[in-house]
């Protein structure tokens, strides 16, 4: 949430900063700004709305400067206006600061600064931090300007309660950017005679692939030719490691697709292959997941599994619960990450916790991980972003290898997470009750999934037609049973977040316990009803909706024509093992929401009020 880009080097900073912000726009897009240090003076440009507005303002002024910091915002404190956009200045106008995160004690700090005569121009918590750091700088007796700036940032952050990723520069300290993090990611990019600072490597990968992922409490001092990492916490020493980014600039481009979301939907055959690659052992009919960092003996002793995550990751975890219970017979529980730490979930000595997160930075999921570890549980991550905080803090885990997901609505990471859950179930299953014949059958079926998704993608024109028919519905219900109940939840989430149609997902049988009261001719119901053990039950529920004149769209299995008679529209998926069907049934729902959003003129990749990577509670 919110994106920071900083640059110091030999090139003009503003085009690099604007390009970096464009690549981070998925993190927040309600306002943006940049500050450049030119001839000992800080020039600030801030604009509400998309980065394009900022680009126009900057290009009209054509400011020069080879050092700058910038920000794209997802508002927490204060509406998305020009005044509330970052960077913010201190009272002297010489210190400029951008910030991700939330300063919880900002009001008391602000009151104290106001009492001392400070005047504020925004409603943000960030401006308070800028004033605080600036005032500490002004009152400091440290003579070296660089040391003085570092010490001021350090002291200001020590007085802050909350989370932050910050970048700071000062007009009297040319050639220096100071960054620090606690709870919001920051990465340093190392170039030749130039350095970058960003919330995500996507912003800088076009310029360098050598990076340092900062840890919580790290403070970095950048000059054009040097970097120095120290710790805000005197009891720790900073652990600095230079890593090489394994994806390229093109991986985070749209290519020929109109939207990232569509590109990512179409990437699913490949992203699932990537999730499975090297992880299937046909000889033993099991999965190989070395990153779990656990011996076979330790894995065999696991008697309880807890999954937690948020949003789409939570829905993938729900599918995981069905899979583990069915294939491995291990009691499994799922919990919203945001609730996990406020519950006191009873655990056994051999409970294993998984946190599921695309970004690996979601603050609630990170908090669940830390809570589990505090209680002595072994906690593993199922994560996409290999450099993320969750990946680093967990005891091990499985990377989903889906590649960068830029569209705010998660798509390919859902199916990759489910693919990993299937591998876990296979691994645990083979340690308990699952026969090698059943294991091998699962492997065969899993390997066939990418091709089956390709077949579904070919039906995009039909799904688009259906979407146009229902694009102006005032609401939508999504219904599924068993392992497709989580898919109903996921389908409803996709519909809500990108088309703004109110939608909800339910177990089909719950219909008659209240939801049916909503059914009427202009409220379509989407039934996920593949040809499985509960197909007939779904048919009865569809009939109940039909009897009340509710339109029905069904997702079912090829060759299962019965639904054509009792529904308005049918989308077919290829036949597969029932337990793997979520990997297929979700794809038409992703396309349906995409085309509904398109027909309604919504901004698919940047839905209102949302941002990817939710680093505030
Ligand atoms: C929905 C969506 C969100 C995320 C959720 C968790 O399309 O993208 O619901 O799934 O914010 O994010 P991660 O997986 O990054 O922890």
């Amino acid at each position: 949430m919110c994106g920071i880009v900083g640059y110091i080097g030999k090139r003009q900073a503003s085009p690099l900063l604007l390009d970096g912000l464009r690549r981070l726009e998925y993190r927040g897009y309600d306002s943006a700004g940049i500050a450049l240090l030119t001839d000992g003076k800080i020039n600030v440009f801030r604009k509400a709305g998309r980065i394009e507005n900022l680009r126009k303002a900057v290009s009209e002024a054509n400011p020069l400067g080879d050092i700058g910091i910038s920000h794209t915002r997802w508002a927490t404190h204060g509406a998305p206006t020009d005044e509330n956009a970052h960077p913010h200045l201190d009272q002297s106008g010489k210190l400029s600061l951008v910030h991700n995160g939330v300063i919880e004690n900002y009001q008391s700090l602000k009151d104290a600064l106001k009492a001392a005569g400070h005047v504020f121009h925004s409603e943000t918590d960030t401006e308070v931090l800028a004033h605080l750091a600036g005032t500490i700088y002004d009152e400091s007796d440290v003579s070296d300007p660089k040391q003085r700036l570092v010490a001021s940032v350090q002291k200001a952050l020590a007085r802050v309660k909350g989370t932050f990723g910050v970048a700071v520069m000062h007009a009297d300290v040319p050639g220096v950017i100071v960054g620090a993090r606690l709870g919001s990611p920051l990465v340093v990019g190392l170039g030749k005679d130039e350095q970058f600072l960003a919330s995500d490597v996507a912003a800088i990968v076009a310029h360098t692939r050598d990076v340092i992922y900062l840890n919580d409490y790290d403070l970095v001092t950048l000059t054009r030719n040097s970097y120095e990492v120290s710790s805000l916490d005197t009891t720790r020493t900073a652990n600095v490691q230079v890593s090489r980014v394994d994806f390229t600039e093109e991986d985070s481009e749209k290519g020929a697709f109109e939207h990232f979301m569509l590109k990512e939907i179409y990437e699913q055959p490949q992203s699932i292959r990537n999730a499975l690659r090297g992880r299937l052992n046909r000889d033993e009919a099991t999965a190989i997941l070395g990153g779990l960092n656990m011996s076979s003996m330790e894995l065999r002793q696991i008697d309880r599994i807890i999954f937690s995550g948020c949003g789409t990751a939570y829905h993938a975890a729900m599918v995981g619960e069905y899979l583990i219970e069915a294939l491995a017979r291990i009691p499994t529980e799922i919990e919203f990450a945001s609730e996990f730490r406020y519950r006191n979930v009873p655990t056994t000595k051999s409970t294993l916790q998984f946190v599921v997160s695309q970004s690996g930075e979601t603050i609630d999921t990170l908090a669940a991980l830390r809570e589990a570890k505090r209680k002595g549980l072994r906690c593993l991550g199922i994560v996409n972003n290999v450099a993320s905080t969750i990946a680093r803090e967990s005891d091990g885990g499985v990377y989903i290898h889906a590649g960068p997901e830029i569209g705010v609505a998660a798509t390919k990471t859902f199916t990759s997470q489910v693919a990993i859950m299937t591998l876990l179930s296979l691994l645990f299953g083979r340690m308990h009750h699952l026969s090698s014949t059943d294991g091998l059958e699962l492997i065969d079926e899993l390997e066939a999934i990418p091709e089956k998704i390709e077949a579904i993608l070919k039906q995009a024109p039909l799904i688009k037609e259906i979407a146009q028919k229902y694009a102006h519905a005032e609401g939508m219900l999504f219904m599924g049973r068993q392992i497709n109940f989580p898919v109903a939840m996921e389908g409803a989430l996709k519909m809500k977040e990108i088309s703004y149609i109110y939608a909800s997902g339910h177990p089909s049988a719950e219909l008659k316990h209240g939801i049916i009261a909503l059914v009427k001719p202009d409220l379509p119901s989407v039934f996920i009803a593949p040809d499985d053990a509960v197909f007939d039950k779904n048919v009865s529920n569809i009939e109940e909706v039909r009897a009340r004149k509710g339109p029905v769209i069904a997702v079912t299995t090829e060759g299962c024509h019965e639904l054509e008679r009792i529904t308005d529209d049918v989308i077919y998926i290829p036949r597969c093992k029932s337990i793997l069907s979520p990997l297929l049934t979700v794809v038409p729902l992703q396309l349906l929401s995409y085309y509904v959003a398109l027909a309604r003129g919504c901004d698919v990749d940047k839905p209102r009020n949302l941002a990817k990577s939710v680093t505030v509670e």
Side-chain angles (χ1 to χ4, degrees), residues 481 508-516 541 544:
R481 280 175 179 260
S508 311
E510 282 296 300
L511 192 65
K512 51 199 173 296
H513 298 290
I515 303 138
I516 202 160
N541 301 132
E544 287 154 13

Side-chain angles (χ1 to χ4, degrees), residues 304-308 331-335 340 345-348 351-355 377 379-380:
R304 185 147 189 247
I305 291 177
I306 302 174
F307 285 114
S308 25
T332 304
E333 192 179 342
I334 42 165
E335 183 54 273
F340 178 80
V345 178
T347 54
T348 63
T351 296
L352 182 61
Q353 164 116 3
F354 285 94
V355 285
L377 291 186
C379 192
L380 306 178

Side-chain angles (χ1 to χ4, degrees), residues 1 261 308-315 337 356-366 382-385 390 405 407-411 413 417 490 493-494 497-498 607 610-614:
M1 237 157 203
M261 182 182 177
S308 25
C310 304
T312 291
Y314 176 79
H315 298 152
V356 189
S357 175
Q358 184 287 125
S359 62
E361 299 292 349
T362 300
I363 199 89
D364 288 325
T365 313
L366 183 58
I382 298 177
V383 171
N384 192 31
N385 182 356
I390 291 179
E405 187 178 66
V408 165
T411 50
T413 52
Q417 286 159 351
E490 177 59 9
L493 178 62
K494 289 292 88 93
E497 65 183 332
I498 62 166
L610 292 176
K612 213 163 176 76
S613 191
V614 182

Side-chain angles (χ1 to χ4, degrees), residues 249-269 271 403-406 411-412 457 594 605:
E249 190 189 349
E250 290 76 49
D251 291 332
S252 43
E253 293 287 356
K254 279 202 293 261
F257 288 91
E258 198 181 336
H259 293 99
F260 279 110
M261 182 182 177
L262 191 62
K263 175 185 177 233
E264 288 154 7
I265 291 172
Y266 273 80
E267 278 173 350
Q268 289 178 107
S271 51
E405 187 178 66
I406 312 286
T411 50
K412 63 175 176 175
L457 294 172
Y594 172 79
D605 283 334

